Amino acid sequence: MDEPMNNPVEQPTPRSTGVLTRIVRIVGWTSIVVGVLILGFVAQQLFVTTWFAQQNQTALTEEVEERFAAAETTEIEYVPQVSVTNPGDTNAGTGGTIVEGGSGSVTDEDAPLSPQKRSLLVESTPEPGAAFAVIRIPTIDRLKDGWVVVEGVELRNLKNGAGHMPRTPLPGQPGNAVISGHRTTYGAPFHELDELNPGDTIEVDTVLGTHVYEVRETIIVQPSELWVTEPRDGAWLTLTTCHPKFSSRQRLIVFAELIDGPNWETIYA
Amino acid sequence: MKQWFVGLPGPMPLKVVVAAIVVFVALVLLFFVYDWIGTTLLDSGGTIG
């Protein structure tokens, strides 16, 4: 009487269903975890590091203002050494165009006076990690109000502010002052450095006053190309940052020459 | 996750405290890992040399 019912659709066995479900679940959860980790990385790099940098900048601004109020300046004798070179001659060994005019050397106060001697304002060398200057670039929005510069280019220094490379002159002094900064993280002070054009100005406040530089050249180099930090005739400011954005593969370099400030006349007159 | 939480030792308040500490430590470690990846690959600060 009762005939067995034939099921036209073959149902998957419980075992095969369980394995498939488990695979889908593992793949799903792995995707979710990886996605969350990537989102977390992006958030940490873009927002958390910037938040830390902004907190540090607030503290460093107070520190640099205290330095400006308390630090003493000294006048020392400076002998310009005029070097005659071909204008526009680019020398890879010294890092670019060599200009005619005031190269110089700092001498002892007791050294015999000569007619060429002039007074150069100097400040004390800041301690590693200490805030000592403010860099301002009027044509770049995020640097219109300035970014504090600290002494040193260790990772811990650059997390706080732009970093001045030790063993290069301080801004406003003869030679080549080098300042490095992050491009995309930790406040990204040099994010729009590629937008600078020859003729744009860069201002650096130190305890001596405001040193005004004019951009001369922007180039891309490899991170190992140390020549960009070598001394130059006159007074120069070299800014370095990562290139391209979100990569530390290369370096964007901006060369700027002093055009005004407390020491300009001494160095170039 | 739920199994891990249930498997933690002690009564419920202790489980919550232990879980919070573990999560905090994991986040701190993750922060340092992110930081290392970021400064190595994305933005080393633009230093030369």
Side-chain angles (χ1 to χ4, degrees):
Chain A
M1 276 176 61
D2 292 331
E3 291 181 4
M5 292 182 66
N6 291 329
N7 191 349
V9 179
E10 192 177 331
Q11 296 293 327
T13 63
R15 181 173 177 169
S16 64
T17 305
V19 170
L20 191 64
T21 305
R22 191 174 299 169
I23 290 171
V24 169
R25 187 174 292 163
I26 289 170
V27 170
W29 274 108
T30 304
S31 302
I32 290 170
V33 170
V34 170
V36 168
L37 286 173
I38 290 172
L39 280 176
F41 176 66
V42 172
Q44 192 268 353
Q45 289 292 298
L46 294 184
F47 306 118
V48 178
T49 62
T50 295
W51 183 82
F52 275 113
Q54 284 169 346
Q55 301 304 308
N56 292 336
Q57 281 287 306
T58 305
L60 290 172
T61 302
E62 292 176 13
E63 188 182 322
V64 81
E65 282 171 359
E66 283 174 18
R67 177 180 169 88
F68 287 175
E72 293 179 1
T73 61
T74 315
E75 281 190 16
I76 62 168
E77 296 299 332
Y78 171 73
V79 183
Q81 295 172 344
V82 178
S83 62
V84 179
T85 59
N86 298 324
D89 181 23
T90 300
N91 183 335
T94 56
T97 305
I98 299 172
V99 296
E100 258 186 75
S103 107
S105 60
V106 175
T107 62
D108 289 334
E109 287 182 54
D110 297 334
L113 289 170
S114 78
Q116 293 176 320
K117 275 194 172 180
R118 299 166 195 155
S119 291
L120 184 76
L121 280 172
V122 295
E123 60 183 301
S124 58
T125 305
E127 294 293 318
F132 74 96
V134 176
I135 185 168
R136 207 170 35 250
I137 304 180
T139 52
I140 292 180
D141 277 345
R142 76 176 64 204
L143 288 176
K144 266 182 184 168
D145 297 328
W147 199 261
V148 177
V149 181
V150 301
E151 179 65 7
V153 289
E154 301 289 325
L155 283 177
R156 64 178 180 276
N157 302 134
L158 295 171
K159 286 177 180 177
N160 296 329
H164 169 253
M165 191 176 188
R167 294 185 296 281
T168 66
L170 293 176
Q173 302 300 319
N176 185 14
V178 180
I179 294 177
S180 303
H182 279 287
R183 187 92 190 267
T184 51
T185 59
Y186 286 98
F190 290 170
H191 191 260
E192 289 101 3
L193 217 59
D194 57 333
E195 294 175 9
L196 283 176
N197 294 309
D200 289 344
T201 57
I202 301 170
E203 300 168 5
V204 183
D205 295 337
T206 70
V207 70
L208 305 178
T210 301
H211 312 281
V212 183
Y213 293 85
E214 190 174 277
V215 174
R216 295 280 187 252
E217 189 182 15
T218 302
I219 59 170
I220 309 294
V221 301
Q222 297 302 313
S224 58
E225 295 196 49
L226 269 170
W227 64 264
V228 300
T229 68
E230 287 179 356
R232 298 182 133 215
D233 290 343
W236 289 77
L237 176 69
T238 298
L239 305 181
T240 75
T241 192
C242 289
H243 183 83
K245 287 174 184 169
F246 301 102
S247 168
S248 56
R249 191 160 42 92
Q250 292 176 309
R251 297 290 181 267
L252 174 67
I253 311 292
V254 174
F255 294 118
E257 188 174 13
L258 189 70
I259 59 165
D260 198 9
N263 281 332
W264 178 81
E265 203 170 332
T266 302
I267 298 168
Y268 283 98
Chain B
M1 211 63 153
K2 194 176 175 183
Q3 286 174 343
W4 169 79
F5 181 77
V6 172
L8 289 173
M12 184 56 72
L14 185 62
K15 287 182 196 289
V16 171
V17 171
V18 171
I21 291 171
V22 169
V23 168
F24 178 77
V25 170
L27 285 175
V28 170
L29 288 176
L30 200 59
F31 179 88
F32 283 108
V33 171
Y34 283 162
D35 203 46
W36 179 80
I37 296 172
T39 51
T40 305
L41 299 177
L42 295 189
D43 187 349
S44 63
T47 53
I48 294 287

